Amino acid sequence: MRLLLLAALAAASFAQNRPADPVRFYGNFPLMVDPTVPISRQPFHFEAHHIAGDSNLAGFHMEWFGVPWREFAAGQAPPEAWMREMDAIRGLQQRLGLPVYLALTPIGGSRDRLAPNATGTYALTTDDSFGAVCEAIDARPDYATVIRPGYRNYVSYMIRRFQPRFVALSIEVDLYTFHCPAAWNAMKRLINETYDMVKSEHPTLPVFQTFQIDVLWQADTGDPCFGFQRGCLAQNLQPLADLKSDVFAISTYPAFVFAHNGGQLPDDYLTVFAGLTGKPLAIAETGYPVLPYTAHNGNACVAGLQSSGFDQARWMSRVLRDADAAKMPFVVWWSNEDLLPEPASVPCDCAGNVWCQFLQSLDAPARDTLRGDATMGLRDFDGTPHPALPLWVQAVQSVVSAHR
């Protein structure tokens, strides 16, 4: 009880003494892939990179680490391996010295079940079987004893621990409505109740969900809304109408949609959501690859997306323009550095080095997804700037200078 009281007092002091905000925060996720780490660490973990010099916000995307559902529900200490990761992230936060966008979610990475359960003493493991695909979570026998209190206590703990400037309670939640329409009401109730709890504890904290708009548009080749049909877009937003969110926080990776629509996107591809939802807009994650890559089609490798540094810089210009036009409070570019070195990210399959061995340990869809995300950084794997970086840094410096 005494520790909880001290944490509450610290949070209140932080809120009262926090300096005035700049007009906009520009952030990156410090995600790193390292296949050489010892078993006691995740191959996916966070490192500072150049974020403190390039940006004025750090994004912590916590779905990589799972949720210790049972421990938080019971008021017990989380698994040791999970706590080591949280301690490392807290240390990184202190070294960066930047405000934090904290992204939490009760939904797993496949966006069709509960987030995996985090376990482990020496090595962190995440159990995807904790949740069943598209189950009605409130029909689980442990909903009242584990799921509901576990997620609420987890969120409260993470907010106390990381003192975020912005917090998401679910990530790309609209994908769950597409995958699991019959189970959506139960998940929505959990998220809305958690939102109410957080706002009661932190009334001035921006609390929201993130929304994958490339899927909301459904405008890629073969999609039902191909051609960017506005009526279709409004229909896809309908299940989200009573989901509580202070901000409409966008997730968008438009490279394929752009390429498959003749190199065109509607001028209001991002900003249309302000009018449709009546909420302030922000960009919770975006990116654009600088290198082409091939992908698996069965046992064959076929040509995938053609992209370049020029294409990334063009998307960056569009993002920064729309952030100004919509007066967005924050913009998060997916990663500060590329996740893989170029020789590992471009070939469909490679062999012979530690990176190739790591990629071969994944199934083909996971391998393609990681490689597709691999070259969206502002810098390459070794830290060399991509063409979009000067545009980003100029935007950051302009708000930092104006704030002084």
Side-chain angles (χ1 to χ4, degrees):
M1 181 62 72
R2 182 173 181 272
L3 289 176
L4 292 177
L5 179 59
L6 289 174
L9 290 173
S13 174
F14 176 85
Q16 292 171 0
N17 298 316
R18 187 181 68 208
D21 288 341
V23 66
R24 184 168 304 113
F25 290 96
Y26 293 95
N28 308 131
F29 293 117
L31 184 63
M32 179 180 185
V33 182
D34 184 353
T36 68
V37 297
I39 194 172
S40 59
R41 292 296 308 275
Q42 289 262 75
F44 299 92
H45 58 277
F46 294 160
E47 295 292 345
H49 301 314
H50 301 267
I51 292 175
D54 293 345
S55 304
N56 65 341
L57 182 74
F60 292 159
H61 205 270
M62 295 299 194
E63 74 170 318
W64 298 98
F65 306 100
V67 175
W69 292 96
R70 296 186 179 93
E71 289 84 357
F72 274 110
Q76 298 172 351
E80 292 181 26
W82 186 86
M83 279 300 299
R84 276 197 302 273
E85 296 291 346
M86 297 304 108
D87 290 344
I89 296 168
R90 176 60 179 146
L92 173 62
Q93 178 186 12
Q94 292 171 328
R95 293 195 301 276
L96 288 171
L98 295 175
V100 165
Y101 159 49
L102 182 65
L104 310 174
T105 183
I107 301 169
S110 58
R111 311 293 188 243
D112 62 0
R113 68 191 74 193
L114 286 168
N117 188 53
T119 62
T121 300
Y122 180 58
L124 177 61
T125 59
T126 52
D127 178 12
D128 286 318
S129 68
F130 178 77
V133 173
C134 293
E135 64 182 336
I137 60 171
D138 59 354
R140 288 176 58 126
D142 64 350
Y143 179 77
T145 57
V146 174
I147 305 304
R148 184 176 182 272
Y151 192 63
R152 289 161 64 93
N153 292 342
Y154 163 77
V155 168
S156 290
Y157 170 84
M158 297 295 273
I159 291 173
R160 289 197 307 270
R161 185 80 194 269
F162 295 101
Q163 299 288 314
R165 180 63 189 81
F166 307 97
V167 64
L169 299 182
S170 63
I171 297 171
E172 297 182 332
V173 68
D174 53 301
L175 296 184
Y176 191 89
T177 72
F178 277 92
H179 294 317
C180 308
W184 168 234
N185 282 337
M187 182 63 73
K188 178 174 61 179
R189 185 178 70 162
L190 174 67
I191 296 170
N192 279 345
E193 289 178 351
T194 306
Y195 170 94
D196 289 339
M197 177 202 72
V198 174
K199 293 301 285 189
S200 69
E201 296 174 351
H202 308 276
T204 63
L205 177 63
V207 183
F208 49 89
Q209 325 304 326
T210 80
F211 306 92
Q212 217 302 319
I213 67 162
D214 309 316
V215 172
L216 283 172
W217 274 104
Q218 280 190 303
D220 204 349
T221 305
D223 282 349
C225 307
F226 184 74
F228 304 104
Q229 300 173 40
R230 304 309 170 99
C232 192
L233 177 61
Q235 182 178 344
N236 288 341
L237 281 166
Q238 191 59 42
L240 305 165
D242 53 352
L243 181 65
K244 296 181 179 182
S245 191
D246 296 341
V247 178
F248 190 90
I250 291 167
S251 163
T252 177
Y253 299 93
F256 280 101
V257 179
F258 182 79
H260 296 167
N261 284 274
Q264 299 294 320
L265 291 176
D267 194 57
D268 62 350
Y269 189 74
L270 303 178
T271 57
V272 66
F273 294 96
L276 290 172
T277 67
K279 297 184 183 300
L281 301 183
I283 296 179
E285 49 182 291
T286 193
Y288 209 101
V290 299
L291 294 174
Y293 81 106
T294 55
H296 290 86
N297 182 9
N299 294 323
C301 291
V302 297
L305 180 71
Q306 297 298 309
S307 193
S308 68
F310 171 81
D311 295 320
Q312 187 192 65
R314 178 172 55 179
W315 177 243
M316 176 66 78
S317 296
R318 173 73 173 271
V319 164
L320 297 176
R321 182 202 72 184
D322 287 356
D324 277 338
K327 297 181 171 55
M328 296 184 186
F330 65 90
V331 174
V332 177
W333 189 271
W334 167 243
S335 61
N336 184 263
E337 289 185 358
D338 289 351
L339 303 182
L340 304 177
E342 180 176 343
S345 61
V346 175
C348 187
D349 290 301
C350 65
N353 61 39
V354 67
W355 286 101
C356 298
Q357 293 168 15
F358 170 70
L359 288 169
Q360 290 297 328
S361 72
L362 309 174
D363 61 26
R367 197 153 65 242
D368 287 344
T369 298
L370 181 58
R371 290 173 44 255
D373 293 344
T375 67
M376 293 187 188
L378 297 174
R379 300 169 178 268
D380 72 13
F381 185 78
D382 295 322
T384 303
H386 287 315
L389 179 64
L391 302 173
W392 176 266
V393 170
Q394 182 180 13
V396 174
Q397 290 176 344
S398 68
V399 297
V400 171
S401 298
H403 184 58
R404 288 173 179 160

